[in-house]
């Protein structure tokens, strides 16, 4: 049996009102276009949103980085952009940085997470989708899931996990990568991924090379050369049967974590785990949101989804995130609510600095 590939590709191609949510007509258009490819290019598909981002979940047998699959996603986003422009939606076509598809959608603006694997007897897959934050937001959670026994007791209790995991980390500025084997290199891993604005966990593997997690690491502002919106990353995590259990994968999301993004991509704020019905960014264009959809993968079919965070077990962290939002919002334009100077280089602040640069005078020694 051929391997199954899951491709999760997202883009902000227009929203209403403002940057808050994807219009139902965009979801309908995308779903129809993907459905037309089932049994042809695709095995199965699912369309949803998180905030203003349109999320395409596709299964197929063409492997990661398939030009045909990427082209399909591009065509979907391009068609949805036409709909967005017709309705005068906000930010129509925002994440599409080129006029036409050029072979690899990862270089054209949309975010991409993919993995190819041999299906197990039972293969639960969790797909996380975030809005108003960047790809480094996943670093904390992936470390807790795959390297912290206080979160994942299976690292201690399950022989199938006790060998640890390998993390592939990407330097999004210098365009290079490095791998760390944990637990023995966990301190070295933390030395890098704690700087989540630059170093991002791209993949997690078992020691034998089996893939278990994949994220989108596209930095939209670096690709475009200017601020055009936050990256709003996606992540795929396989669970159970030799991997962390579903509960172990979800446990880190009970902690209120500050991530970069929020208003104008320029502020730190709490990442709020919500069900789909609450995945609409409002307060201060946020706070940042994350939704999780769970599927069983069966011969390429997506059995589901289950709306994972639509659960009162996460009410407490949601309340704590809102309290944290109150606290950090009170700091207004001051750090650490506003991002550090280095990160602000990738927002609209440089335009302000350019206007004022001639008013600066050198200090005398």
């Amino acid at each position: 049996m051929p391997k199954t590939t899951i491709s999760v590709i997202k883009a902000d191609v227009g929203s209403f009102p403002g940057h808050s949510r994807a219009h139902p007509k965009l979801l309908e258009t995308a779903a129809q276009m993907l459905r037309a490819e089932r049994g042809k290019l695709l095995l199965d598909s699912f369309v949803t949103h998180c905030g203003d981002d349109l999320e395409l979940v596709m299964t197929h047998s063409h492997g990661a980085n398939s030009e045909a699959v990427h082209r399909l996603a591009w065509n979907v986003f391009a068609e949805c952009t036409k709909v967005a422009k017709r309705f005068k939606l906000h930010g129509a076509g925002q994440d599409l940085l080129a006029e036409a598809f050029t072979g690899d959608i990862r270089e054209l603006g949309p975010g991409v997470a993919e993995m190819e694997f041999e299906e197990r007897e039972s293969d639960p897959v969790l797909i996380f989708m975030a809005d108003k934050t960047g790809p480094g937001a996943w670093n904390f959670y992936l470390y807790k899931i795959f390297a912290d026994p206080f979160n994942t007791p299976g690292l201690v209790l399950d022989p199938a996990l006790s060998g640890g995991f390998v993390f592939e980390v990407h330097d999004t500025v210098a365009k290079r990568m490095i791998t760390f084997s944990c637990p023995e290199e966990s301190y070295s891993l933390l030395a890098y991924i704690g700087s989540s604005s630059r170093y991002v966990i791209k993949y997690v593997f078992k020691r034998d090379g089996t893939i278990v997690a994949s994220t989108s690491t596209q930095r939209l502002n670096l690709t475009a050369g200017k601020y055009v919106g936050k990256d709003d990353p996606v992540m795929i995590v396989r669970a159970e049967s030799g991997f962390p259990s579903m509960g172990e994968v979800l446990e880190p999301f009970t902690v209120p974590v500050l991530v970069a993004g929020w208003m104008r991509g320029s502020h730190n704020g709490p990442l709020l785990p919500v069900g789909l019905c609450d995945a609409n960014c409002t307060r201060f264009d946020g706070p940042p949101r994350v939704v999780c959809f769970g599927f069983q993968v069966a011969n390429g079919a997506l059995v589901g989804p289950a709306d994972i965070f639509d659960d009162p077990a996460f009410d407490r962290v949601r309340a704590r995130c809102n309290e944290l939002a109150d606290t950090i919002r009170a700091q207004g334009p001051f750090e650490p609510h506003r991002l550090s100077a280095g990160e602000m280089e990738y927002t609209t602040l440089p335009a302000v600095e350019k206007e004022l640069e001639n008013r600066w005078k050198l200090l005398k020694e």
Side-chain angles (χ1 to χ4, degrees), residues 93-159:
Q94 172 180 290
D95 284 3
L96 304 188
L97 304 181
E99 294 296 324
F101 181 73
T102 56
D104 187 348
I105 200 170
R106 295 174 303 173
E107 302 300 320
L108 304 178
V112 181
E114 297 180 292
M115 62 166 62
E116 182 183 31
F117 56 90
E118 292 182 359
E119 290 187 21
R120 299 169 290 167
E121 185 174 347
S122 176
D123 226 313
V125 172
L126 298 174
I127 296 174
F128 297 86
M129 298 157 279
D131 188 29
K132 303 299 184 283
T133 188
W138 303 132
N139 285 6
F140 172 87
Y141 302 101
L142 287 170
Y143 177 82
K144 297 290 285 185
I145 294 165
F146 295 105
D148 183 1
F150 282 82
N151 177 88
T152 304
L155 294 169
V156 175
L157 301 177
D158 186 347

Side-chain angles (χ1 to χ4, degrees), residues 7-11 46-51 53-57 111 113 125-134 137-138 214 216 231-237 253 271-276 279 281 288-295 305-309:
S7 298
V8 182
I9 306 181
K10 55 71 56 180
F46 179 76
V47 173
T48 187
H49 80 102
C50 181
D53 291 289
L54 186 61
E55 317 277 359
L56 312 181
V57 182
V125 172
L126 298 174
I127 296 174
F128 297 86
M129 298 157 279
D131 188 29
K132 303 299 184 283
T133 188
W138 303 132
S214 173
S216 61
D231 310 289
D232 308 328
V234 291
M235 175 170 68
I236 309 168
V237 179
F253 291 90
L271 186 59
L272 194 65
V274 296
L276 183 63
C281 293
R289 311 286 166 115
V290 56
V291 297
C292 176
F293 276 56
F295 298 90
D307 189 351
I308 300 297
F309 290 139

Side-chain angles (χ1 to χ4, degrees), residues 226-247:
K226 61 181 180 179
Y227 179 73
V228 292
K230 212 58 184 171
D231 310 289
D232 308 328
V234 291
M235 175 170 68
I236 309 168
V237 179
R238 300 169 73 194
E240 308 286 355
S241 302
F243 304 148
S245 69
M246 190 179 85

